[in-house]
Amino acid sequence: MMHVDAPHPNCAYKWMEWSLNPKLQGDLAAWFGSVPAVPAACKGNELLTDAGCATNGFNDFDKIWFWRTPTASAVTAPGIVFPIVNG
């Protein structure tokens, strides 16, 4: 994301483009034990190695439950019910 009033938007765009570079993403994923934001980084990175993404959970993406803003009705997850409390 970039702020609407960024003082140097061209610089911000260049930084965002650089930060999504597969080489950089692979190195960061290897360093932090995470999965890169760019799937292309999973192949051919010397630090991450070709098995690094699988080791760090790349194949478990379907098991992640992302936040959903509560609504007026109950929110459910597998086997769990979260009642909405008005107050």
Side-chain angles (χ1 to χ4, degrees), residues 14-79:
K14 285 190 174 286
W15 181 86
M16 287 193 312
E17 184 178 328
W18 174 79
S19 71
L20 294 175
N21 175 292
K23 166 75 169 114
L24 175 67
Q25 284 287 312
D27 291 352
L28 289 172
W31 183 261
F32 288 106
S34 63
V35 176
V38 179
C42 290
K43 295 287 183 200
N45 184 285
E46 185 178 340
L47 292 177
L48 186 61
T49 72
D50 287 350
C53 284
T55 300
N56 293 344
F58 186 80
N59 299 324
D60 296 328
F61 191 76
D62 61 335
K63 297 177 184 174
I64 297 172
W65 282 80
F66 291 98
W67 170 261
R68 294 184 188 164
T69 302
T71 60
S73 60
V75 178
T76 60

